[in-house]
């Protein structure tokens, strides 16, 4: 109870301060979320979706919080220089959990598109936020979502109106910056209107060598015949702890492409809940993890086929070295009446050392009889025969290992539809395997 109590005491003492520096739309959900958090407490390993990560231990340290919303002295355009070459993105920044509005991109957004501070839009245009905020992120059943909802004061709001097609990819850089150990609670709300199309690249970086604890909740609503590509890339450091709960709701004939890529981290716990609400929907959910030392990466997914004639495809791959720990638990739920469902769930893992550990649990839960669903997982080590074959042809052991690991992980990277991003990730992954990826060229982050 020690871990929960400090957050219960914090909210009890600082609720008025939290509300003062946020928006009424966000404040309306706090008391219910607080009650849910007190009732649920942090999940133990007995809770199925958290069985591979000790959540209470992660939240035990005493972190500082910026509840007074003090200005953080950082110029992100000065410290961040490693945007993806040739991608031609619209570049936005979130500093800790606050949208950076002092200098915005000069790029002209299509008419009606909004990319702004969540708390700001919730005050100026509450009619755009209120129908969606907190609707698919369940505080009653998930303690981390409840904790984020009761503490989050700002974040990012994205609105793409009906039939608007965004040609330019939007890149959002989440920068952790602090002189002391810090907890941040970031909220993201995305509304993609009927027939709209948009692509987003979220990158997580840490600007300081401090202990960071970041909670994030993303809610994404994808309308009829709409298309959303969401790429999430983490390149922080070994002292960073990150929990991210992503909730996506798809309407009829919509398309979602979600990729989560972990290259550098400390402890990461990613949850994805995707729900089909209309027939004809399609999603591709892919994950790529490279971890070594004592890094810990836990990905947990739930694909909920509530209606028929929808297609889901999942592919998650891990390469673990050193004493790294990986976990993947994926559940595909096909409900009564969801006929003509097509689903494929695959998790493949490579443990490069005997001390690396991988836990995998793909699951199918089917209540319809006219479906095509399959799942599978593998955990293995580098192929000795392939290593021998390559060494016989003059390739050194380390280079042979690197080539095999690179080929293994490439299947996920090749699913990325943005060619400049795909090329950049090939480069970053190779450097990561060679142990060279301490920071990107020209960037002052990740020192």
């Amino acid at each position: 109870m020690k871990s929960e109590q400090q957050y219960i005491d914090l909210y009890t003492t600082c609720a008025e301060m939290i509300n003062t520096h946020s928006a009424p739309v966000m404040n309306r959900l706090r008391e219910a979320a607080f009650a849910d958090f007190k009732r649920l407490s942090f999940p133990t390993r007995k809770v199925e979706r958290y069985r591979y990560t000790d959540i209470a231990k992660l939240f035990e340290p005493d972190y500082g919080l910026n509840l007074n919303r003090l200005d953080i002295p950082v110029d992100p355009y000065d410290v961040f220089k490693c945007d993806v070459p040739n991608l031609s993105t619209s570049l936005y920044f979130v500093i800790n959990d606050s949208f950076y509005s002092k200098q915005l991109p000069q790029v002209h957004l299509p008419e009606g598109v909004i990319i702004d501070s969540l708390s700001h839009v919730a005050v100026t245009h509450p009619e755009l936020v209120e129908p969606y905020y907190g609707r698919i992120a369940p505080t009653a059943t998930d303690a981390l979502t409840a904790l984020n909802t009761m503490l989050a004061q700002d974040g990012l709001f994205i609105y793409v109106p009906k039939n608007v097609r965004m040609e330019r990819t939007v890149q959002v850089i989440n920068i952790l910056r602090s002189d002391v150990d810090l907890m941040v609670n970031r909220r993201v709300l995305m509304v993609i209107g009927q027939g709209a199309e948009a692509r987003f690249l979220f990158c997580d970086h840490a600007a300081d060598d401090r202990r960071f604890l970041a909670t994030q909740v993303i809610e994404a609503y994808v309308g009829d015949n709409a298309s959303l590509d969401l790429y999430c890339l983490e390149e922080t450091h070994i002292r960073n702890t990150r929990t991210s709960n992503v909730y996506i709701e798809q309407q009829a004939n919509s398309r979602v492409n979600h990729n989560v890529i972990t290259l550098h981290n400390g402890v990461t716990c990613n949850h994805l809940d995707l729900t089909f609400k209309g027939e004809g929907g399609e999603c591709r959910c892919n994950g790529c993890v490279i971890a070594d030392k004592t890094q810990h990466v836990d990905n947990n997914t739930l694909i909920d086929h509530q209606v028929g004639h929808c297609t889901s495809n999942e592919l998650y791959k891990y390469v673990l070295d050193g004493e790294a720990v990986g976990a993947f638990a994926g559940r595909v739920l096909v409900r009564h009446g969801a006929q003509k469902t097509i689903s494929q769930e695959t998790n493949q893992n490579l443990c490069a050392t005997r001390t690396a550990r991988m836990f995998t649990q793909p699951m199918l839960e089917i209540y319809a009889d006219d479906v095509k669903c399959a799942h599978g997982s593998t955990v293995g080590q580098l192929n000795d025969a392939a290593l021998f074959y390559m060494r016989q042809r003059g390739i050194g052991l380390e280079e042979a290992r690197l080539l095999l690991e690179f080929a293994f992980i490439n299947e996920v990277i090749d699913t990325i539809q943005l060619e400049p991003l795909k090329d950049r990730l090939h480069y970053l992954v190779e450097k990561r395997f060679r142990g060279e990826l301490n920071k990107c060229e020209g960037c002052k982050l990740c020192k």
Side-chain angles (χ1 to χ4, degrees), residues 347-419:
N347 173 226
Q348 296 175 335
N349 311 285
L350 185 62
C351 292
T353 63
R354 293 185 178 275
T355 50
R357 293 289 180 268
M358 182 68 204
F359 302 92
T360 178
Q361 187 182 19
M363 295 171 281
L364 293 177
E365 190 173 343
I366 302 172
Y367 300 98
D369 55 11
D370 187 6
V371 301
K372 294 181 180 179
C373 298
H375 71 302
S377 67
T378 60
V379 180
Q381 295 182 316
L382 291 172
N383 188 294
D384 289 336
L387 283 173
F388 179 77
Y389 178 87
M390 296 170 76
R391 294 189 69 189
Q392 287 291 94
R393 279 146 185 80
I395 300 175
L397 177 59
E398 289 305 314
E399 187 70 14
R401 285 166 56 91
L402 183 145
L403 290 173
L404 289 177
E405 291 172 345
F406 191 63
F408 176 80
I409 214 74
N410 261 358
E411 186 179 357
V412 176
I413 300 175
D414 286 341
T415 65
I416 293 174
Q417 299 180 16
L418 293 173
E419 288 299 327

Side-chain angles (χ1 to χ4, degrees), residues 50 53 55 58-59 63 144 174 176 184 186 188 202-205 212-218 230-246 258-271 296-299:
Y50 291 96
T53 303
I55 294 296
L58 300 181
F59 285 81
Y63 291 91
L144 295 189
N174 298 314
L176 296 171
V184 303
R186 185 187 309 122
V188 179
F202 288 6
C203 301
D204 281 21
H205 293 273
F212 290 102
L213 172 61
T215 76
Q216 175 177 263
V217 171
I218 298 177
L230 177 58
Y231 303 96
C232 300
L233 172 63
E234 182 178 4
E235 290 183 89
T236 55
H237 56 57
I238 196 68
R239 304 182 72 188
N240 187 68
T241 298
R242 175 181 186 263
T243 71
S244 177
N245 289 3
V246 178
H258 178 264
N259 284 260
V260 56
I261 301 144
T262 306
L263 294 185
H264 272 296
N265 75 310
V267 178
T268 297
C269 185
N270 295 320
H271 279 200
H296 180 107
V297 185
D298 183 349
N299 281 295

